[in-house]
Amino acid sequence: MSAVAEILKPQLTADKLINSIAYDEEATRALALEHCNRTFESLDPERRVEWAFENLPGNHVLSSSFGAQAAVSLHLITRVQPDIPVILVDTGYLFPETYRFIDDLTARLKLNLKVYRAALSPAWQEARSGQRWQQGVDGLKAYNEENKVEPMRRALRELGVNTWFAGLRRRQSESRARIRYLEWAGGRWKVHPIADWNDRDVHYYLKRHDLPYHPLWEHGYLSIGDHHSTVPIHEVSTIEQTRFSGLRRECGIHEINLADL
């Protein structure tokens, strides 16, 4: 029986499914990944996380920006794997409320926090290049690359990551509307357990588990990043404009190609 036919068998087990990803045949990989994503459609987020730990290769990590609704993914995933490394990329420009939120959740959930930063301090970068987030698309891209993308790539390499959990949701923005539960590249996996959740699902989870929103949430901050380029929703027309004046919605962290690590 061909590898493709094996994947299409109804009784395909998780082990066979994962092993099929390793085949060189492009069609086989595509079918196996599609099967995984269809399987996740029928699972709740708790079971998606359990399945990923049971079947996807370690080392596992969770990334978090400690944004508005970050407590959901932090709680959901550490309930299954309490000591999972939690990667935080610190630009040095986060809101004071964010740093306190990080401290509070780290203590409350006993997080295994791993903080990564750019090689140069914010002050040194500004002395060399000025405030690049105010220098158009190219300046913003360079700022994000040095302060967000490079530290995250370094974290994934140094921690030897094979499976990366992230709390991205399709309802968060147009740029995330088509994210899948599972992505695969170069033998590494990315998992979005709550990809299909809306704000109501998030609210009920936080309430059920007595978890907090980011303290700036009640002030209209729906997407929270650096203090110099984040504004509340009542100051703009769309959620995309709450970050980087609408020039970019994504900083590049979640566009990292796992095959290139």
Side-chain angles (χ1 to χ4, degrees), residues 36-48:
C36 285
N37 276 286
R38 285 199 307 271
T39 298
F40 266 42
E41 287 284 357
S42 63
L43 303 179
D44 61 31
E46 289 83 357
R47 182 56 190 137
R48 292 167 188 162

Side-chain angles (χ1 to χ4, degrees), residues 131-148:
Q131 297 180 337
R132 285 175 290 176
W133 58 88
Q134 295 183 344
Q135 299 171 14
V137 174
D138 290 342
L140 180 57
K141 182 178 180 181
Y143 169 80
N144 283 335
E145 179 66 31
E146 182 168 0
N147 290 281
K148 301 182 180 185

Side-chain angles (χ1 to χ4, degrees), residues 219-254:
H219 298 289
Y221 288 83
L222 305 186
S223 178
I224 304 167
D226 294 328
H227 66 74
H228 54 63
S229 52
T230 303
V231 297
I233 189 65
H234 56 260
E235 293 185 9
V236 293
S237 301
T238 67
I239 193 170
E240 277 72 22
Q241 294 173 319
T242 62
R243 300 285 292 277
F244 308 118
S245 301
L247 293 177
R248 284 181 64 91
R249 176 60 176 82
E250 301 294 338
C251 67
I253 281 179
H254 293 292

